[in-house]
Amino acid sequence: MSRRAAVPLLAALLALALAGCGLIMAPRTIAPRFFILNAVAPHTGATAPIVIGLGPLSLPSYLDRPEMARRVDANQIVYDPEARWAESLRTNFQRALGANLVQLMGPERIVTFPWYSTEKLDFSVSVAATRFEQQADGSLELSGRWVVRDRHDATVAARIFDYTRPGGTPDANAAALSELIAELSEAIAAAMQSAPAAAP
């Protein structure tokens, strides 16, 4: 083969080699999946002529991001770039909690925090969650404290809570976290249902 003929051949081989390197070196495209929390408490058929104020509700700030969080140990959290929340986790949590209370109690109305000072509430519910993620052992945990107050802002009930469910895939985790909120909702509903009627 002449030198003149060899030059185009070498150029073609070099181009193929560079293209192959590009394919090998190209970063993997991440196609995330998006998840939401749902109300899964039973529909009891109950109705109550009450107005419930829901909030404030707080979550740890390390959960305030799109990716699902997983605890590696007491001091380390990792985030899954392929499993994301479809909206603000706090907003979704609050909506699921409210929907669960509707299914359990059938209140006349639920008002989310903040509300107008003129709002006539029969009960208000505040929740401060300290954990709401997958733990190092694979389980899902929801822990924190809730307080129910009556229309005079007197405390009806206050509880420290800690609920767990088995974890697994992101799909299973979203479902398990929804179940944890339902368990929380049942405890809060029971406190309101057993509260003595507040004086006008």
Side-chain angles (χ1 to χ4, degrees):
M1 179 183 297
S2 68
R3 178 176 297 179
R4 181 175 295 179
V7 170
L9 179 59
L10 288 173
L13 290 173
L14 180 60
L16 286 172
L18 290 174
C21 289
L23 291 173
I24 294 171
M25 301 290 288
R28 183 172 65 92
T29 301
I30 294 176
R33 292 186 298 157
F34 295 88
F35 298 89
I36 58 170
L37 301 165
N38 288 300
V40 295
H43 290 268
T44 64
T47 58
I50 60 174
V51 177
I52 300 172
L54 186 56
L57 185 150
S58 64
L59 291 172
S61 59
Y62 63 79
L63 296 177
D64 187 21
R65 54 185 296 151
E67 301 89 354
M68 279 191 181
R70 179 172 59 84
R71 187 173 290 274
V72 176
D73 55 38
N75 302 305
Q76 186 178 0
I77 295 285
V78 296
Y79 300 96
D80 187 344
E82 298 184 26
R84 301 186 184 183
W85 297 111
E87 64 173 336
S88 159
L89 183 58
R90 190 196 65 79
T91 300
N92 195 181
F93 187 118
Q94 182 167 275
R95 184 169 54 254
L97 177 59
N100 280 318
L101 292 175
V102 168
Q103 293 173 186
L104 291 163
M105 300 182 67
E108 180 180 304
R109 192 157 51 95
I110 289 186
V111 182
T112 56
F113 183 86
W115 46 76
Y116 292 109
S117 59
T118 55
E119 191 73 59
K120 303 297 184 182
L121 303 175
D122 295 288
F123 295 101
S124 63
V125 179
S126 61
V127 179
T130 53
R131 287 197 178 182
F132 189 56
E133 75 273 357
Q134 190 169 25
Q135 303 304 303
D137 64 1
S139 66
L140 282 301
E141 181 179 2
L142 169 58
S143 62
R145 184 174 186 268
W146 57 260
V147 179
V148 173
R149 295 180 176 86
D150 66 15
R151 68 182 63 175
H152 304 299
D153 205 33
T155 298
V156 171
R159 301 283 187 276
I160 293 173
F161 60 88
D162 188 16
Y163 306 122
T164 61
R165 287 283 190 284
T169 64
D171 309 65
N173 289 349
L177 290 170
S178 294
E179 291 170 3
L180 292 176
I181 295 175
E183 190 169 353
L184 170 66
S185 305
E186 289 171 356
I188 292 171
M192 287 188 280
Q193 289 166 333
S194 62

